[in-house]
Amino acid sequence: MADQPQAKYRADYQAPEYTITDIALDFDLHDTAARIIAVSQVKRLAEQDAALKLDGDALKLVRIEVNGEAWTKYEETPAGLTLTGLPTAFELTIETEVNPEANTLLEGLYKSGGGFCTQCEAEGFRRITYYLDRPDVLARFTTKVTADKANFPFLLSNGNRIAQGDLDNGRHWVQWEDPFPKPSYLFALVAGDFDVLRDKYTTMSGRDVELEIFVDKGNLDRADYAMTSLINSMKWDEERFGLEYDLDIYMIVAVDFFNMGAMENKGLNVFNSKFVLANPQTATDVDYQGIEAVIGHEYFHNWTGNRVTCRDWFQLSLKEGLTVFRDQEFSSDLGSRAVNRINNVRIVRGPQFAEDRGPMSHPIRPEQVIEMNNFYTLTVYEKGSEVIRMMHTLLGEEKFQAGIKLYFERHDGTAATCDDFVQAMEDASGVDLVAFRRWYSQAGTPVVNVATDYDAESKSYRVTVKQATAPTPGQEEKVALHIPLDIELYDSKGNVIELQCNGEAVHHVLDVKQEEQVFEFDNVPEQPVISLLREFSAPVVLEYDYSDDELVFLMVHARNEFARWDAGQMLLAKYIRDNVTNVQNGKAVEFPASVVDAFRGALLADDLDPAFIAEMLTLPSENEVAGWYKCVDVDAINKVVGEIKAILATEMEDELTAIYHSLAQPSYTIEHQAMAKRALRNRCLSYLACTEKGNELVTAQYQVSDNMTDTMAAMAAANNAELACRAEQMKDFSDKWTHDGLVMDKWFALQGSNPADNALANVRETMNHPAFDLKNPNRTRNLVANFCGNNPVRFHAKDGSGYVFLTEILTALNTSNPQVASRLIEPFLKYRQYDEARQVLMRAELEKLAALENLAKDLFEKVEKALAL
Ligand code: B3K
Ligand code: ZN
């Protein structure tokens, strides 16, 4: 390849040579030709004369002026525009033209449905105008938007509306001013026709804020929960973090074409409609929880991201890890802490650990990047949040909040680094975080191996902890990390044994800092049972040789719910592993009655939250199990997980049936208790679907259901268990919802995860469904990504048909939307974890992709790294 995309390195950071203090934007919107005039106040920061290098991508340059005079000392380069011979401070006027309708990348200014919208993070602003498109250039923005009044009655941008007017040609304009200096990635514009849900919020200092949620016409009855979640977020951030909203208006716009979840543009969030629109007939309980989390996340960014932003994109976790931590705490404070923790840990242990094992493995603060959009990863977000959580564990809530306060005192209104954050935490708390900082630079998952030894005579208990991190691509040498290891000891009756060292009480969070460390506890009256890595106190793989009895004991006696759940998962893991070996040796799956009894006990524990019991009874996904192996046997894993589920269903059929019936509710509400009961009831149904009466029960639930949660639970059960009622339900649902893509996504997801052996043929046929559109990221994710990523047996079909299919899709998306393609390619990146025959097939597909002309840099970066393995 002639001009291969080049990587940028964190170590090469240089402060900008110029800055822009103010920018006045003027948009004249037309579907295929939008004109943008940008008037910037530019100041040279460098001492020496320097060229001004503006970023630009896919722009038509119309005119360029310096201090009102046409400027000729410039050069158009592949990366933008280079201006020379400039004064030290000047006004720069640039006029550009773009084609929003042809913008299928959904980055920059584009059309979604009938309206215009923008997406600028990470580097989309340069697709609107030539600019210093980097997060450490902070300017005050004013934005004037002009468009046809009948088609686009609402013209929105960041900040406060300061002027508006009508033109005589049927067009109108609105002008906005954002008083807070911001980087270009937080710019937003929306123009369209919407229904608006309005409310008000009075902040803790008594300021009134207008709240507005814009949805497609006809969807007003689906916006209430987003509004409730927004108000809850504002209140929570005041109460828990002391942080208050700072503008007079907060707007959220829901759009159908969006590459990710949502975007925190200052005062004007743009959301994937999936995270706004919900009513009981169209959305499941899980959808509601997603709305609460994402509305919270974007709102919390107003402080962690917008008021303090990132110095450069390598620091992305500064805002994302911290904001994920904040949204997780928000959901935990409002709902069930244990269930939230369980679901977050599942993501880290499953897909995040998988990312650590693959060719794209990177630290939460990456060192080198080709395409920034490739680094909005589980590592930066979820592991990044775990790193913040570890600091919270080490400091405690009070000192952590003192650290947050100091961080804002020091950095409000500026662009900061991850080091700045840790420094504030350290300075405010006095806790030594020197070794802890290594979490920011080291990639990969540490393995923590624990051995214990009890000496009955001296009543001492010794815990030996070893840590090691396997090499990752580009990072051969690993160092020991500072790992907070939360433990508890129990006596045989289930009472907590106080941890003592030399007769003094010691804290239950051990500071593991060395490769090997021994912790001695005394006054331990009897051989204890140890609960390790409580609350998943660090993102590590734990190795400890628990007996079945100890795990069953912890499932009942551990004081916190997370530890009980984790014990159950470890018990399941043992039997899944053993049985995969059995199956590979031609033996039958064995699952002893004593283990079934442990789960029966959890099912029947009526003092527990039903939502928590539902989690206790959830088996690890096939993908999570795959992560335990160097060489993955998809068929054996599928067989074992399926058979264990069937054994549990048969052995506990009476109890499952009784609980299923006892949890029926007369009507649908979104309160936690109601959701919790539905979660457990539908978990019971998913087991009962594997029994003889499955078809009858599932059919009955589908028929009487008046809400999407129960409807989808029935359909998912029918789909997974391949019940006779599946076909009719699928037809009925499609007839009812064809007009509504967002609801049809649930149906597409079922087609994608269909276990039937003709699944791929079905998926191909489904792509012709009138509601399907490969250009819509939600449709593509639900059908295609779900098939390739969550249907391992069918995707990894031995004949390679799944692989050929994925390459076809990637080839199409490489030109229309490489950002989505780059998410879809993930299953190929794991090719080294499969048998030789499958490796050869997948590698061949990667090579086909590498040979594509115009391979987008998003895919280039991943394909190249995968092939280098
Ligand atoms: N900050 C955005 C993500 C932007 C992704 C750019 N490819 C959403 C969020 O994390 O809140
Ligand atoms: Zn975010």
Side-chain angles (χ1 to χ4, degrees):
M1 241 184 270
D3 47 349
Q4 286 203 341
Q6 294 298 310
K8 285 194 182 140
Y9 295 85
R10 179 173 75 88
D12 292 345
Y13 173 80
Q14 300 230 313
E17 292 181 309
Y18 285 87
T19 195
I20 295 171
T21 56
D22 296 86
I23 174 168
L25 286 161
D26 187 343
F27 285 81
D28 192 30
L29 297 177
H30 297 272
D31 287 352
T32 55
R35 280 288 172 105
I36 303 111
I37 303 171
V39 181
S40 302
Q41 306 306 320
V42 187
K43 260 213 289 257
R44 195 174 82 201
L45 300 174
E47 286 181 10
Q48 309 283 315
D49 182 31
L52 172 62
K53 290 185 185 152
L54 299 174
D55 304 294
D57 180 21
L59 296 172
K60 195 159 126 192
L61 179 63
V62 179
R63 87 187 141 102
I64 173 163
E65 289 170 8
V66 170
N67 290 331
E69 303 283 334
W71 196 254
T72 51
K73 285 179 251 172
Y74 73 88
E75 195 191 343
E76 283 189 70
T77 68
L81 214 55
T82 303
L83 282 71
T84 49
L86 295 163
T88 50
F90 57 95
E91 182 176 278
L92 174 68
T93 303
I94 291 184
E95 186 171 341
T96 49
E97 189 186 299
V98 299
N99 181 348
E101 202 160 83
N103 183 356
T104 57
L105 271 60
L106 314 184
E107 213 186 6
L109 176 65
Y110 66 94
K111 296 267 334 248
S112 169
F116 290 91
C117 66
T118 56
Q119 171 56 36
C120 293
E121 188 176 2
E123 296 176 333
F125 192 71
R126 64 188 62 183
R127 294 167 53 81
I128 294 173
T129 188
Y130 292 97
Y131 197 70
L132 291 171
D133 192 13
R134 46 187 289 168
D136 57 354
V137 170
L138 278 68
R140 272 178 300 270
F141 279 65
T142 55
T143 307
K144 184 177 171 191
V145 189
T146 305
D148 179 75
K149 189 166 183 173
N151 288 319
F152 310 102
F154 293 95
L155 305 175
L156 314 174
S157 191
N158 316 86
N160 302 311
R161 192 185 286 111
I162 53 168
Q164 59 192 65
D166 287 329
L167 302 173
D168 46 18
N169 53 0
R171 294 172 73 77
H172 70 143
W173 59 273
V174 177
Q175 194 170 14
W176 296 82
E177 181 181 70
D178 180 359
F180 292 93
K182 65 168 177 288
S184 49
Y185 82 86
L186 289 173
F187 168 78
L189 171 157
V190 171
D193 193 5
F194 303 101
D195 279 340
V196 194
L197 180 65
R198 295 194 163 85
D199 211 320
K200 275 192 192 339
Y201 183 79
T202 307
T203 67
M204 59 184 179
S205 72
R207 266 187 338 96
D208 288 329
V209 183
E210 306 283 338
L211 309 178
E212 298 185 334
I213 299 184
F214 297 82
V215 297
D216 278 355
K217 291 242 153 217
N219 277 336
L220 207 53
D221 66 331
R222 299 194 200 179
D224 293 330
Y225 197 71
M227 185 62 87
T228 305
S229 301
L230 176 59
I231 293 171
N232 287 340
S233 307
M234 297 178 90
K235 205 161 152 351
W236 180 86
D237 214 12
E238 292 180 350
E239 287 169 358
R240 176 94 186 257
F241 277 78
L243 297 172
E244 188 178 351
Y245 188 60
D246 53 10
L247 283 167
D248 303 333
I249 183 165
Y250 194 93
M251 294 174 283
I252 291 174
V253 184
V255 301
D256 287 332
F257 284 73
F258 205 65
N259 279 343
M260 61 275 163
M263 179 63 213
E264 70 264 24
N265 319 299
K266 184 80 185 187
L268 176 58
N269 290 180
V270 178
F271 267 64
N272 185 326
S273 53
K274 171 180 166 58
F275 292 112
V276 174
L277 301 179
N279 69 30
Q281 281 69 51
T282 61
T284 64
D285 293 344
V286 172
D287 294 329
Y288 277 99
Q289 287 155 5
I291 289 170
E292 179 177 85
V294 179
I295 293 268
H297 182 96
E298 306 311 329
Y299 175 73
F300 304 141
H301 266 315
N302 189 55
W303 277 93
T304 50
N306 303 3
R307 288 289 288 257
V308 181
T309 191
C310 301
R311 187 193 68 177
D312 55 74
W313 288 123
F314 298 99
Q315 316 294 329
L316 180 62
S317 203
L318 172 71
K319 74 175 176 86
E320 295 305 347
L322 178 54
T323 305
V324 172
F325 172 78
R326 277 154 52 68
D327 86 53
Q328 290 177 352
E329 284 300 292
F330 168 60
S331 297
S332 302
D333 283 346
L334 265 61
S336 159
R337 181 160 286 272
V339 171
N340 274 287
R341 190 67 190 132
I342 288 166
N343 285 312
N344 296 329
V345 170
R346 275 207 183 100
I347 293 171
V348 178
R349 276 189 189 153
Q352 196 281 317
F353 282 6
E355 195 163 273
D356 275 348
R357 285 189 301 270
M360 280 288 288
S361 172
H362 54 277
I364 63 167
R365 183 186 54 202
E367 296 294 343
Q368 71 181 84
V369 166
I370 291 179
E371 169 52 60
M372 189 53 214
N373 286 325
N374 280 342
F375 287 84
Y376 288 76
T377 57
L378 292 158
T379 301
V380 167
Y381 275 63
E382 309 299 324
K383 184 175 177 182
S385 164
E386 293 302 315
V387 169
I388 301 290
R389 188 172 294 284
M390 285 191 282
M391 282 189 262
H392 187 268
T393 302
L394 292 169
L395 272 62
E397 170 74 4
E398 210 173 303
K399 286 183 178 161
F400 182 86
Q401 290 298 345
I404 291 281
K405 200 162 163 256
L406 184 59
Y407 171 66
F408 287 120
E409 275 166 26
R410 287 181 179 170
H411 303 290
D412 187 14
T414 71
T417 64
C418 296
D419 276 334
D420 291 332
F421 182 83
V422 181
Q423 193 64 51
M425 284 288 153
E426 196 164 48
D427 292 346
S429 67
V431 175
D432 174 1
L433 296 173
V434 173
F436 186 83
R437 283 176 172 77
R438 294 175 187 157
W439 281 103
Y440 283 88
S441 46
Q442 185 157 291
T445 311
V447 176
V448 171
N449 179 285
V450 179
T452 56
D453 184 29
Y454 180 64
D455 181 32
E457 210 156 294
S458 61
K459 304 222 174 304
S460 68
Y461 188 61
R462 172 194 286 253
V463 180
T464 306
V465 185
K466 291 184 198 160
Q467 61 161 306
T469 305
T472 53
Q475 201 177 53
E476 288 301 312
E477 299 298 319
K478 300 291 179 181
V479 291
L481 298 172
H482 181 175
I483 296 171
L485 182 64
D486 189 342
I487 69 164
E488 196 157 70
L489 303 184
Y490 298 101
D491 70 17
S492 51
K493 295 200 184 68
N495 300 312
V496 177
I497 302 172
E498 190 189 47
L499 295 177
Q500 291 185 8
C501 201
N502 302 323
E504 303 263 319
V506 291
H507 197 241
H508 57 92
V509 179
L510 311 182
D511 281 303
V512 175
K513 291 186 172 176
Q514 289 147 29
E515 272 170 28
E516 180 165 350
Q517 228 167 316
V518 179
F519 299 87
E520 289 260 6
F521 302 101
D522 38 42
N523 297 325
V524 178
E526 57 178 285
Q527 166 76 51
V529 175
I530 187 166
S531 172
L532 284 160
L533 201 67
R534 296 167 76 240
E535 296 289 0
F536 194 60
S537 59
V540 301
V541 170
L542 172 70
E543 288 179 353
Y544 180 68
D545 198 9
Y546 276 116
S547 68
D548 283 14
D549 287 348
E550 285 173 317
L551 291 172
V552 173
F553 175 95
L554 288 172
M555 281 174 75
V556 180
H557 294 294
R559 266 203 308 182
N560 83 15
E561 289 181 326
F562 179 84
R564 289 177 165 196
W565 170 80
D566 211 11
Q569 294 293 301
M570 286 189 264
L571 189 59
L572 287 170
K574 276 181 105 169
Y575 283 91
I576 293 171
R577 277 178 200 276
D578 288 354
N579 280 306
V580 166
T581 311
N582 284 346
V583 167
Q584 286 169 335
N585 294 329
K587 292 197 207 138
V589 170
E590 289 167 14
F591 198 70
S594 60
V595 181
V596 175
D597 284 340
F599 287 93
R600 193 192 323 271
L603 175 62
L604 298 176
D606 50 16
D607 56 331
L608 294 178
D609 175 8
F612 173 71
I613 299 176
E615 298 301 337
M616 287 290 286
L617 293 172
T618 303
L619 303 178
S621 70
E622 288 170 44
N623 279 342
E624 186 178 341
V625 175
W628 306 340
Y629 292 92
K630 278 228 147 44
C631 182
V632 179
D633 184 338
V634 278
D635 300 299
I637 291 172
N638 174 266
K639 185 173 160 72
V640 168
V641 174
E643 288 196 21
I644 288 181
K645 187 167 181 189
I647 292 170
L648 284 165
T650 317
E651 296 296 317
M652 307 195 300
E653 186 173 343
D654 292 347
E655 294 87 349
L656 288 163
T657 308
I659 290 177
Y660 175 77
H661 289 299
S662 77
L663 290 174
Q665 298 179 70
S667 61
Y668 180 92
T669 60
I670 324 167
E671 272 93 57
H672 177 79
Q673 264 315 308
M675 289 200 271
K677 285 183 183 169
R678 278 192 295 278
L680 180 53
R681 184 167 195 261
N682 286 325
R683 172 68 37 215
C684 292
L685 184 68
S686 88
Y687 278 101
L688 291 168
C690 312
T691 66
E692 293 225 322
K693 59 175 176 251
N695 199 56
E696 190 188 326
L697 270 181
V698 169
T699 303
Q701 173 156 328
Y702 183 82
Q703 281 166 357
V704 303
S705 168
D706 66 350
N707 66 81
M708 187 54 85
T709 306
D710 290 339
T711 300
M712 276 314 294
M715 291 180 75
N719 193 55
N720 297 340
E722 300 185 68
L723 299 179
C725 61
R726 178 187 187 273
E728 202 186 311
Q729 288 175 5
M730 292 297 277
K731 181 175 181 318
D732 183 64
F733 190 98
S734 157
D735 288 348
K736 190 166 170 200
W737 294 108
T738 292
H739 60 282
D740 191 319
L742 197 58
V743 176
M744 282 304 290
D745 278 341
K746 301 176 192 310
W747 189 90
F748 289 131
L750 293 178
Q751 299 287 23
S753 58
N754 179 6
D757 51 15
N758 62 345
L760 175 57
N762 262 327
V763 167
R764 285 185 179 277
E765 198 183 306
T766 303
M767 291 179 70
N768 299 320
H769 191 283
F772 188 79
D773 176 2
L774 192 64
K775 293 213 161 63
N776 183 301
N778 288 3
R779 301 306 93 84
T780 300
R781 269 189 290 263
N782 278 285
L783 183 64
V784 181
N786 209 30
F787 174 77
C788 300
N790 295 322
N791 196 348
V793 170
R794 298 302 161 213
F795 173 68
H796 291 288
K798 282 204 182 71
D799 61 3
S801 53
Y803 306 153
V804 171
F805 170 68
L806 179 52
T807 302
E808 275 172 40
I809 301 286
L810 292 174
T811 307
L813 289 171
N814 176 53
T815 38
S816 66
N817 191 334
Q819 234 184 102
V820 169
S822 193
R823 300 251 166 201
L824 246 59
I825 199 178
E826 288 297 320
F828 277 166
L829 305 187
K830 304 193 179 99
Y831 73 108
R832 285 289 184 207
Q833 290 159 32
Y834 294 84
D835 55 82
E836 190 59 33
R838 286 181 170 103
Q839 280 196 34
V840 168
L841 291 171
M842 280 191 264
R843 225 188 130 85
E845 299 302 323
L846 284 166
E847 269 155 8
K848 274 194 227 163
L849 290 167
L852 280 182
E853 242 179 80
N854 299 326
L855 182 64
K857 52 181 189 151
D858 315 57
L859 285 180
F860 170 85
E861 183 166 38
K862 293 188 175 179
V863 169
E864 185 198 46
K865 286 197 172 143
L867 287 173
L869 285 183

